[in-house]
Every structure is written in C-alpha cells, then in structure tokens.
Amino acid sequence: MKRALSILGLTILWVVLWRDVSVANVLSGLAVSVVVASGVSGTGAHRVRPLALARFAGYFVVQLVEANLVLAREVVTPQNQIETGIIAVPLDGYSDFVATIVANATSLTPGTLTLELARRPEPVLYVHVLHLHDLDDARADVEAMARRVAAAFPQVEAVTA
C-alpha cells in the first residue's frame, strides 16, 4: 500500500512539473515513478507524505503563476526590470534526492535556471536568477522550496541490527 501511494504521489508530481495533464504525461510519469519507487531502497530511501506533497505542489503552482506573470509583465512593458545574477544556496542536511527535485523544480520556474548542484564538500545549488532584486529573498525562495520538498519526501532512517 505504501509503495502504491509513493508511485501515485510521484506520478502526480511528474504531471504537475510537466504542467500538462495528458495521457502521455500520466503514463510516462507512472513509468518513471515505478522505476524510482523500485530503485529507492536502503539507507537513501524516502517516503512520500501525500499531504506535504500536495502542499509542495500547491506552492510550486503558485510560484509558476507568479513567475509567469512577472515575465509577461517584462515582455509587455517598455521598462527593463531585468537584474540578473547567480546565487549560491547551501542545501546542508538535504539528501541528494531532495536536492535533485529542488534543482529541477527551480529550473522549471520561469526566470530561474539551475546551473550546478555541487555536492562536495557540502551540497550547494547555484541558480541563475533573471530578476535578482534582493539576494536574501531569492535564497529564501529556494530554501522554502527545499523545506517543502523535504517535508513531502522525508528520508527513511536506516535500521541497523
């Protein structure tokens, strides 16, 4: 039952990230989810918390809408509000799985692009931001996403005998 819920949650996340509910997206999301759910085991295993996943999905949709509105305003207005920059966001304490979801979700949000997810010595996500008006706010946005993803996919503690 837990595996089925995990597969369902991952499939929903896949469709949300693609932003298109189609037969092809649902089937490909299901296929990827089955592979991910069967390949996640041992000390790096994660659970799927459906309510936290729904909160993350809602947060992500709001971020997508806001970013699209900002970019649309940029296109239709004569003023140039673009202030690009690259930020480094430390992801200490998050698993590779969570960091990967954060990096991909960040790249899917218009106006941001993940440049690198450095893993050593500590994980750091480097993001190019199109509208970098406040460095702390930009970092806080990525950190808020990381917290929501970590809540949706908590790491299962390894049981030692």
Side-chain angles (χ1 to χ4, degrees), residues 1-22:
M1 183 64 175
K2 287 182 181 181
R3 181 163 288 216
L5 286 175
S6 296
I7 291 170
L8 176 65
L10 289 171
T11 303
I12 291 169
L13 178 64
W14 177 271
V15 172
V16 167
L17 291 176
W18 276 101
R19 298 181 289 169
D20 180 28
V21 180
S22 66

Side-chain angles (χ1 to χ4, degrees), residues 109-123:
T109 306
T112 58
L113 177 67
T114 298
L115 299 175
E116 181 179 7
L117 177 57
R119 294 178 58 209
R120 294 193 178 114
E122 297 297 327

Side-chain angles (χ1 to χ4, degrees), residues 7 9 28 33 37 41 48 55 63 76-77 79-80 87 96 110 122 134 138 152 155 157:
I7 291 170
S28 62
S33 299
S41 62
V48 176
R55 282 191 293 271
Q63 293 296 312
V76 299
T77 58
Q79 301 92 351
N80 183 357
I87 62 171
D96 289 347
E122 297 297 327
D134 187 337
Q155 193 162 3
E157 297 298 322

Side-chain angles (χ1 to χ4, degrees), residues 136-158:
D136 292 330
D137 283 348
R139 276 197 187 113
D141 287 344
V142 176
E143 290 166 354
M145 186 179 301
R147 285 191 304 276
R148 284 176 170 80
V149 171
F153 300 101
Q155 193 162 3
V156 175
E157 297 298 322

Side-chain angles (χ1 to χ4, degrees), residues 7 30 35 47-48 51 90 92 98 109-110 130 133-134 155:
I7 291 170
L30 186 61
V35 170
R47 299 187 290 129
V48 176
L51 289 177
D92 297 338
V98 169
T109 306
L130 191 63
H133 301 294
D134 187 337
Q155 193 162 3

